[in-house]
Amino acid sequence: SQTIHQWPATLVQPVGSPLSLECTVEGTSNPNLYWYRQAAGRGLQLLFYSVGIGQISSEVPQNLSASRPQDRQFILSSKKLLLSDSGFYLCAWSWGANGELFFGEGSRLTVL
Amino acid sequence: RKEVEQDPGPFNVPEGATVAFNCTYSNSASQSFFWYRQDCRKEPKLLMSVYSSGNEDGRFTAQLNRASQYISLLIRDSKLSDSATYLCVADSGGGADGLTFGKGTHLIIQP
């Protein structure tokens, strides 16, 4: 069966510090991978998605970046965090491009 | 602009009752729809997929009305464990950026 894990689960970071969130998928090959952010009172916002190694599409301009160094690994990074980066970050995978997404446990980031 | 609108609630419903809530979408090109369940401070989990007029899975029924551009979710014989936020998603096709999430409807089942 397929599983998805992301870490760390909780982060408290000062403004201007770097960020690295990691996500791995097991039990499937060449999945579509996604990073979403869920801010308080808002719907899920797609940040990045990837259909293959090294292929990253960005949905919104921001100070975040994503990388896919391996088929089942997706990393979300920032060089300098802003207060507005606080939120619940969710990694997800899917078979192909459809709305049936399988989410990781989420990473709750608080920027102070 | 693609939008998916949901009543945020909360819907307070006694255990055993039937509850229904709607989700409206603005993009008429939306082809398929999904309901996700999200528990407090947890990740969303897929509840149902709707590719045609509707879908039924046990106590849960989803119905699609393309003419009026809304999807409904009906929960029969509600359980305490049904308490959660229910997210509606519309998919207009074309990949990941074709998905639009609603902000969710908060449901509380009371004993």
Side-chain angles (χ1 to χ4, degrees), chain A residues 37-51:
Chain A
R37 177 170 58 206
Q38 188 175 39
R42 297 189 175 186
L44 269 73
Q45 179 187 34
L46 179 63
L47 301 175
F48 300 94
Y49 68 95
S50 172
V51 298

Side-chain angles (χ1 to χ4, degrees), chain B residues 26-46:
Chain B
S26 62
N27 187 356
S28 58
S30 298
Q31 302 168 358
S32 52
F33 305 86
F34 306 87
W35 283 102
Y36 283 79
R37 172 202 168 112
Q38 186 173 22
D39 293 305
C40 186
R41 302 180 71 84
K42 298 288 188 181
E43 75 275 20
K45 294 183 179 179
L46 182 64

